[in-house]
Amino acid sequence: MSSIQVTLPDGSRQEHPIGTTPLEVAKAISPRLADAAIVARVNGDLYDLTRPLEGDSTLELLTTKNAETLEVYRHSTAHLLAAAVLELYPETKLGIGPPTEAGFYYDFQRETAFTPEDLEKIESKMWEIQKRDLPYGRQLTAKPEGLQKYRQMGEHMKCELIDEKAGDIFSEYTLGPHFIDFCRGPHVPSTSKLKAFKLLSIAGAYWKGDEKNHQMQRIYGTAFFTQKELDEYIKQIEEARKRDHRKLGTELDLFSVQELAGPGLIFFHPKGGIVRKQLEDWMRNEYLKRGYSLVYTPHVARSDLWKTSGHYNFYAENMFKRMELDDAEYQLKPMNCPFHILIYRNSQRSYRDLPVRLGELGTVYRYERSGVMHGLLRVRGFTQDDAHIFCRPDQIEDEIVDCLQFAADTLHTFGFERFDAELSTWDGGASGKYDGSPELWQLAGNALRNATERLGIKAAVMPDEAAFYGPKIDVKLVDAIGRRWQLSTVQFDFTLPRRFELEYIGEDGKAHQPLMCHRALFGSIERFFGILVEHYAGAFPVWLAPVQTVVMPITDRTLEYAQQIQKQLTAAGLRAEVDDRKEKVQLKIREAQLQKVPYMLVVGDREAANGTVSVRNRKHGDMGVKPLAEFLAEAQKLIDAKTPFE
C-alpha cells in the first residue's frame, strides 16, 4: 500500500502517501491551520504533528481552542526546562516532568541545591533554546537497548521507570544534543511553538512521592498560549500569596499547627472557633430544615468494622496504625459512612421509612505524608459535614435534586456565586474494575444526569472517572480571584449496602437492598474554612466575622460610655469588644483595619452626651454619627441576610 485515506472531521477524505504526517496534511489544507495546530488526534489518540501516519486514519488537527492541547503544550515546556538544566548543569540526573492543572514541574537529582538565581539562569536558557526552534524528536527503542543506554548515561531513575512501565518497544523524545527522555508524548513540533512560560519556584520532593526514597529538587513552572494569559496568571498568583490562609491565619489569630502535637492537626484559636461555630451551626440547622436526622458517632472502631467495609485492605495506607487494646484491635476512623450504616442497620426499615437521611459533622483521621500537608487544605484530622441517604430506587432522582440544590444554597450563602460540576461515569463495564450491576449504574447515572438538567446545572461528563463503587457529581466553586476548588460531592455507593447486607421491607413484603448516597457539601470544615479565608482575604462578612464591632473611646472620660455601648451590642447578639488601651484613636482604627473588623464605633464626649456613635466601616471608611439603635438595625439587617459583602 503506497497511499492511505485520511478522513477529516467534516467527513471528507483525502489520499496521501503512506508516512505523511498530520502537519503535512495541515499544510495542504491551509498554512494558517498548520501554524495554529499544536497536536493531532489520530484514530482517537493524540499524536505528534510530525509523527508519520502508517495506515488509513481519522484525523483531527487540534489548536489552542481544544482543551487537550494545553496539557501537551505544558508537557513540552517541562521537557524544555529539563533540556535547559542539562545544558547548564550536565551532572544533573532526571526524574519525571509531568504537566499539571496549573503548569508543570520537573524533578531533578543534584548534589548542589538550586537557588533563586539558578532559576533565573535556567529560564533564560529556556528562552535561548526556544529561539533555536529545536524539534521534539520521537524515536522508538527496544527495551533491552534502552535500559543499556540509560545505564551508561547513569540515569538510574529512567531505568527504574522503563523497567516498570515500558513495553518491549517504547518511545523516547529528544530535544537538542543533551536531552533524551523515556516518554509517551505527544509533544509540540518544536520549541518555537512555546510562546509564554515562566519558572515559579523550587521545592523538595521524594522520588515517586515516597519519603523512603531519595530526595529530589522540584522546579515548578507554568505555561500559557499567550503572554496575556501568563501575565493574568502571575497576577493571580501574587494575589493568592496575599490571601494565603496560612499567612492570614497567623495574622488574624485564627488557627495554628503545633509542632509538639504534630503536623496536619489543626488548633482553632478563639477567633477561628467563632467562625467555625457559624459554619457548623448553619449546617446543622439546614440539616434539620431539610429532613436530615443528626447523629454522632465514635472516633474509633474495631478493625472488624473496617474489614466488613473493605477499608482494612483497600484503604489501609491512608489509615493510622492499628491499636491493640485488651478486647480487640481498633483503628481511628478515616470515614463516617460505616458508622451511619450501623445506625441504619440497627432497626428494621420499611419502604415507608425511606428515605433515611443521616447527617453528622464527624471528625475523621487519615494518614498523610508529612511533605504533602498544606495548612487547612490538606491535614491528618478533619471534620466532614457528612451525610448518607438510604433510599428506594424510585426516590433517587428527587434526592439528588435536593442534594444539588443544598450544595448550590450552601455556596450562595457563603458568597460563592460561580461554580461548575463534573459528572463522573463508568466505562460501561469494559474493564471489569467497577462494582455493581449495569442496571444500577444506568439507574444512578440517569438520576444524576436528570437532576442536573432539572436544576439547570451544566455538568461536564467525565467518562471512566467514577469511583469503583458508583458514579458521582463533584461541584467546583470559583473563588474571588478565579480559582476553582473541589468542594461538594454527591456519590453513589453500590458496594457498602451489599457488604453490610442492608435491607428494607418493600411494599411486596419482601426484603430489598436500599441504594446509598454519600453527600458532603463543605467537604471538610477545615478545607472550607481555608477557602473562605482566601476568598474573602480574611475580611469575613459581618455575620461570620469573629469580632463584628470594636468600640473605641477617645479618652478615659468616655470609657464607661464605651463599655455601656459594648454591653448593648452584646445583648443584641453582636460580637463586640472595647479597645480601652491608652493609645491614639488613629492607631486603634489602623489596627482594627488590619484585623479586618467590619465596624469601628468611635465614641468621644459629644457621642456620650448625645447617646450616639461615630461609625467607621473597614471598607467604606467614615459613615457618620448615628444613634446606636440605627447602627444596630443596619448591622443586624446585614447579619440576618448573611450578606457576603458590606
Side-chain angles (χ1 to χ4, degrees):
M1 182 176 65
S2 58
S3 64
I4 56 173
Q5 291 286 328
V6 176
T7 304
L8 300 175
D10 64 0
S12 63
R13 294 185 177 182
Q14 296 182 356
E15 188 171 314
H16 290 276
I18 190 169
T20 298
T21 67
L23 185 58
E24 289 168 337
V25 175
K27 288 177 179 177
I29 296 171
S30 160
R32 182 177 294 179
L33 175 60
D35 185 58
I38 300 291
V39 70
R41 184 182 285 115
V42 177
N43 299 327
D45 296 324
L46 292 182
Y47 265 46
D48 303 295
L49 289 173
T50 53
R51 181 175 170 180
L53 302 175
E54 298 172 353
D56 293 346
S57 306
T58 60
L59 172 65
E60 183 181 1
L61 297 160
L62 306 183
T63 68
T64 59
K65 296 178 181 179
N66 299 93
E68 303 96 322
T69 55
L70 185 56
E71 185 173 310
V72 172
Y73 186 89
R74 286 173 169 170
H75 191 187
S76 299
T77 314
H79 276 219
L80 177 60
L81 162 60
V85 167
L86 288 180
E87 283 201 19
L88 288 168
Y89 313 104
E91 76 283 3
T92 305
K93 302 303 177 187
L94 301 179
I96 58 171
T100 67
E101 189 174 341
F104 59 89
Y105 68 80
Y106 214 109
D107 287 344
F108 302 99
Q109 188 178 31
R110 180 172 177 252
E111 288 187 11
T112 306
F114 288 117
T115 66
E117 292 74 24
D118 291 334
L119 222 56
E120 293 180 15
K121 291 178 187 175
I122 295 167
E123 186 175 312
S124 178
K125 179 61 71 173
M126 289 172 69
W127 283 111
E128 182 186 316
I129 297 172
Q130 186 266 357
K131 290 180 174 64
R132 295 181 205 161
D133 194 21
L134 295 179
Y136 285 82
R138 180 177 183 269
Q139 61 190 40
L140 298 178
T141 302
K143 189 170 183 176
E145 295 170 8
L147 283 169
Q148 182 179 5
K149 176 174 62 181
Y150 283 99
R151 285 193 192 104
Q152 290 172 348
M153 293 166 60
E155 293 287 356
H156 58 280
M157 290 176 286
K158 294 298 177 185
C159 291
E160 199 173 319
L161 293 175
I162 292 167
D163 264 331
E164 292 173 0
K165 298 183 177 182
D168 293 338
I169 303 291
F170 63 85
S171 60
E172 299 174 287
Y173 281 82
T174 61
L175 188 60
H178 305 291
F179 177 80
I180 185 168
D181 195 8
F182 161 53
C183 178
R184 291 191 181 93
H187 288 281
V188 300
S190 72
T191 56
S192 63
K193 278 284 186 183
L194 306 175
K195 305 292 187 183
F197 53 81
K198 186 169 183 59
L199 299 184
L200 301 174
S201 61
I202 307 163
Y206 290 102
W207 173 235
K208 297 182 178 177
D210 188 340
E211 58 194 13
K212 295 176 184 176
N213 289 335
H214 58 266
Q215 198 154 15
M216 309 286 289
Q217 295 185 69
R218 177 171 295 177
I219 296 180
Y220 284 100
T222 192
F224 289 88
F225 294 126
T226 67
Q227 189 63 40
K228 180 182 177 183
E229 291 173 302
L230 176 60
D231 291 343
E232 288 173 353
Y233 180 73
I234 298 302
K235 285 180 183 177
Q236 185 187 75
I237 289 176
E238 291 169 355
E239 182 62 30
R241 285 198 187 103
K242 297 176 190 174
R243 293 169 178 260
D244 190 317
H245 73 280
R246 295 166 299 177
K247 169 178 171 286
L248 290 171
T250 299
E251 293 174 358
L252 302 177
D253 195 23
L254 299 172
F255 69 92
S256 64
V257 177
Q258 300 289 333
E259 183 63 29
L260 187 60
L265 303 171
I266 305 302
F267 288 74
F268 282 89
H269 296 195
K271 288 182 179 179
I274 287 291
V275 180
R276 177 169 177 155
K277 180 181 183 299
Q278 307 310 307
L279 303 184
E280 293 186 352
D281 288 353
W282 183 86
M283 184 57 75
R284 287 194 177 99
N285 289 337
E286 288 297 314
Y287 276 170
L288 297 176
K289 286 180 190 176
R290 297 170 188 257
Y292 289 76
S293 297
L294 285 174
V295 298
Y296 296 84
T297 60
H299 291 238
V300 298
R302 285 177 173 171
S303 295
D304 288 346
L305 175 65
W306 308 112
K307 290 175 183 177
T308 301
S309 70
H311 293 94
Y312 190 90
N313 292 319
F314 77 78
Y315 206 71
E317 65 180 21
N318 298 103
M319 297 174 73
F320 279 89
K321 288 187 176 179
R322 296 149 195 160
M323 299 175 283
E324 292 286 347
L325 301 183
D326 58 351
D327 65 324
E329 183 183 69
Y330 283 75
Q331 282 189 277
L332 286 167
K333 66 174 177 179
M335 308 277 188
N336 295 304
C337 34
F339 293 79
H340 294 187
I341 287 171
L342 293 182
I343 292 174
Y344 175 90
R345 203 176 69 166
N346 195 57
S347 58
Q348 190 176 70
R349 309 283 179 171
S350 160
Y351 71 95
R352 295 188 184 91
D353 299 324
L354 272 56
V356 172
R357 307 182 190 98
L358 302 179
E360 175 180 19
L361 295 178
T363 301
V364 299
Y365 304 89
R366 298 179 189 173
Y367 173 68
E368 297 280 5
R369 293 185 175 93
S370 57
V372 303
M373 285 175 288
H374 182 80
L376 293 170
L377 305 182
R378 193 151 181 185
V379 294
R380 284 178 172 168
F382 55 95
T383 301
Q384 291 185 302
D385 65 307
D386 220 354
H388 295 89
I389 300 168
F390 305 88
C391 61
R392 307 188 309 262
D394 61 294
Q395 296 171 322
I396 292 177
E397 191 174 311
D398 287 343
E399 290 302 310
I400 299 302
V401 167
D402 290 345
C403 286
L404 292 177
Q405 186 63 60
F406 196 172
D409 293 344
T410 300
L411 294 177
H412 292 146
T413 297
F414 288 92
F416 301 103
E417 295 304 318
R418 293 188 295 153
F419 62 89
D420 50 35
E422 292 178 352
L423 171 57
S424 298
T425 61
W426 71 329
D427 61 0
S431 65
K433 65 183 179 182
Y434 292 100
D435 198 11
S437 67
E439 293 77 19
L440 281 175
W441 278 91
Q442 184 173 4
L443 181 69
N446 288 343
L448 290 169
R449 193 173 294 104
N450 293 342
T452 59
E453 291 173 359
R454 283 170 59 179
L455 291 173
I457 296 173
K458 292 183 178 179
V461 177
M462 312 295 285
D464 199 19
E465 290 292 330
F468 79 90
Y469 48 81
K472 63 176 179 174
I473 287 181
D474 292 323
V475 177
K476 297 186 176 182
L477 64 84
V478 181
D479 73 5
I481 59 173
R483 296 173 300 179
R484 279 173 164 71
W485 300 84
Q486 169 62 52
L487 194 70
S488 307
T489 298
V490 181
Q491 170 78 67
F492 273 99
D493 193 327
F494 305 137
T495 302
L496 288 180
R498 188 189 72 249
R499 281 182 170 271
F500 283 90
E501 299 178 344
L502 299 188
E503 292 181 348
Y504 69 91
I505 303 303
E507 199 169 0
D508 58 2
K510 297 179 181 178
H512 298 266
Q513 184 174 289
L515 291 166
M516 177 180 171
C517 179
H518 305 256
R519 193 243 58 202
L521 304 182
F522 287 153
S524 81
I525 295 289
E526 287 75 8
R527 189 165 184 273
F528 189 68
F529 191 111
I531 293 170
L532 276 179
V533 171
E534 299 200 4
H535 178 60
Y536 288 113
F540 294 109
V542 182
W543 76 281
L544 284 175
V547 178
Q548 295 167 321
T549 309
V550 174
V551 187
M552 301 174 178
I554 294 176
T555 66
D556 287 346
R557 292 192 305 276
T558 53
L559 176 57
E560 185 178 347
Y561 178 64
Q563 291 169 339
Q564 292 173 6
I565 293 293
Q566 189 250 356
K567 287 179 182 177
Q568 292 180 65
L569 293 170
T570 302
L574 269 70
R575 297 183 286 278
E577 295 180 352
V578 174
D579 187 343
D580 58 3
R581 294 175 300 160
K582 297 182 185 299
E583 300 284 357
K584 291 182 178 180
V585 74
Q586 288 83 0
L587 176 66
K588 295 178 181 181
I589 289 171
R590 185 163 65 251
E591 291 187 358
Q593 287 279 164
L594 290 173
Q595 286 297 302
K596 304 184 186 293
V597 177
Y599 289 103
M600 292 140 271
L601 304 184
V602 179
V603 294
D605 293 334
R606 185 182 304 172
E607 286 80 12
N610 298 328
T612 58
V613 291
S614 179
V615 181
R616 288 189 65 85
N617 176 274
R618 66 186 170 195
K619 181 179 179 182
H620 304 294
D622 186 3
M623 300 183 72
V625 177
K626 301 180 181 184
L628 180 61
E630 182 180 334
F631 165 73
L632 263 174
E634 291 174 358
Q636 199 64 56
K637 184 178 179 181
L638 290 174
I639 292 168
D640 292 344
K642 295 181 171 53
T643 305
F645 301 97
E646 302 98 86

